[in-house]
Amino acid sequence: MEKIFLVGNPCSGKKKLKKNLLDIVSVFSDAGYDVTVYPTKSRGDATVVVKELSNEYSIIVCCGGDGTLNEVIEGMMYNPNSYKLAYIPAGTLNEWSSSLHISRKIAEAARDIPKGKIITLDIGKFGDRYFTYTASFGAFTDASYATSQKVKNVLGHAAYILHGAKSLAKIKSYKLTFEHDGEKTEGKFLFGAITNSFSCGGIIKYNQSQVELNDGLFEVLLVRRPARGGRLRHIVAGILKKDFSNPAFEFFKTDKLTVTSEEGFSWTLDGEEAFMESGSLEIKNLNSAISFFVPADK
C-alpha cells in the first residue's frame, strides 16, 4: 500500500483545511492509500519536516497556500529520497495551481490526485534557497508577506491589488546588473521577476504561448525606472495589457542568471520574504526537478 504524507497549513486561506480534512483523508483512503497527516505549526515548519521525511512515503500532498507549497518543495530539494508531489490549494492567491489547472475546490482537487497524471516541473534555485514559480523584487512584490493573513482571508485577491497600489506611492529603484547567456543588462530597476508561471504576484500575467513550465528556462521581466515619473502610467498599462514593447521593459528567457547589487535588499520567493546581501547571487533553473500530479484531463 502506497503511503501519503499530507502536509497541511491550518491557517491558510479561510482555514479551509480544518473544514475539509476528513473529506480529504477519506478520498485518499478510499483510493487505497495509507495517509499520515501533519499540520504545520509555524513558518518554515513544512521545510524542516519534509527535509527529514523517511523513504517509507512515496507521495507528499501539500494543502495550503503558495508559501506552504514553497516550504514543502524546499524540503524536498534537500531530501535525498524521491517523492511525487501533489497540491491541494487552500490559500488566497494559489498562482501556481492556476497555471496547472488544479481546482480551487478542495474536495475536487483531492479527488483529482488518485486518478491524475504525473508531469515533471522546473524548480528555481536562488542562492542556497529554492522557489516554485517566482523570485521577484521591487514594486508589488511585498504584497504577499506585508498583507496580514486576516486581511487576505477577508478580501482575497483584492488584498494583493490594494497593497500593490499603495506601493506605487513609495516606489524605489535598485541599481543592478544582470548577466545571462554572455549578455549584461544593467541600470536602475523598479521591478524584476524571474518566473516559471503564467502570472506573478496576482498582477503580472503572461500569455500562455510565452510560457512552458518544464522547458528548463525562466521568463525574466525587468522594469527600468523611467526618465520621468509621469511615464509610470505607461508601464502600468503595459503590464496590465501584457505588452512589454515599452523601452522600460526587458523581457528574455534564460536557464541561469547572476544578479549583482551594491546594497542588500529584499526579494520574495513565491510570496515569502528573502534577502539578498550586497554582491552577486546566482539564480538557476533546475530542469524537471520534481514529479507532480495534475488532473488527468489537463
Side-chain angles (χ1 to χ4, degrees), residues 33 37 43 46 117 128 131 271:
Y33 294 103
V37 178
R43 178 169 287 187
K117 63 182 179 182
D128 60 356
F131 62 96

Side-chain angles (χ1 to χ4, degrees), residues 107-123:
E108 184 176 339
R111 287 193 298 268
D112 282 341
I113 293 170
K115 58 186 179 182
K117 63 182 179 182
I118 301 291
I119 63 172
T120 60
L121 293 171
D122 299 342
I123 294 297

Side-chain angles (χ1 to χ4, degrees), residues 77-182:
M77 300 307 294
Y78 287 117
N79 191 320
N81 298 311
S82 179
Y83 309 100
K84 298 183 284 290
L85 177 64
Y87 183 36
I88 300 175
T92 304
L93 198 57
N94 303 312
E95 282 198 281
W96 210 46
S97 63
S98 297
S99 297
L100 296 168
H101 306 289
I102 297 172
S103 176
R104 295 196 180 199
K105 297 178 181 178
I106 285 185
E108 184 176 339
R111 287 193 298 268
D112 282 341
I113 293 170
K115 58 186 179 182
K117 63 182 179 182
I118 301 291
I119 63 172
T120 60
L121 293 171
D122 299 342
I123 294 297
K125 188 172 185 184
F126 180 91
D128 60 356
R129 292 184 59 180
Y130 298 89
F131 62 96
T132 310
Y133 69 92
T134 183
S136 57
F137 69 88
F140 301 114
T141 59
D142 66 342
S144 181
Y145 64 81
T147 306
S148 73
Q149 185 66 56
K150 184 176 180 180
V151 171
K152 287 189 282 188
N153 287 349
V154 173
L155 296 180
H157 180 262
Y160 294 90
I161 302 297
L162 290 172
H163 187 90
K166 287 195 299 183
S167 74
L168 288 175
K170 51 182 179 181
I171 203 163
K172 177 184 176 181
S173 60
Y174 301 85
K175 187 177 181 181
L176 303 170
T177 300
F178 296 87
E179 296 177 77
H180 64 96
D181 306 303

Side-chain angles (χ1 to χ4, degrees), residues 167-227:
S167 74
L168 288 175
K170 51 182 179 181
I171 203 163
K172 177 184 176 181
S173 60
Y174 301 85
K175 187 177 181 181
L176 303 170
T177 300
F178 296 87
E179 296 177 77
H180 64 96
D181 306 303
E183 298 183 16
K184 182 181 290 190
T185 302
E186 53 190 346
K188 291 184 177 181
F189 297 91
L190 300 174
F191 170 83
I194 295 91
T195 62
N196 186 47
S197 175
F198 297 118
S199 64
C200 170
I203 298 170
I204 311 298
K205 296 185 182 295
Y206 297 120
N207 293 317
Q208 292 202 5
S209 61
Q210 293 176 302
V211 180
E212 289 185 38
L213 302 180
N214 59 357
D215 61 355
L217 298 173
F218 293 123
E219 284 69 42
V220 181
L221 177 64
L222 305 174
V223 181
R224 295 181 182 274
R225 172 173 283 282

Side-chain angles (χ1 to χ4, degrees), residues 4 58 71 78 91-92 97 156 180 229 240 258 270 273 285 287 290:
I4 285 177
S58 58
E71 291 184 16
Y78 287 117
T92 304
S97 63
H180 64 96
L240 294 176
T258 300
D270 300 339
E273 187 172 16
N285 184 297
N287 185 216
I290 62 170

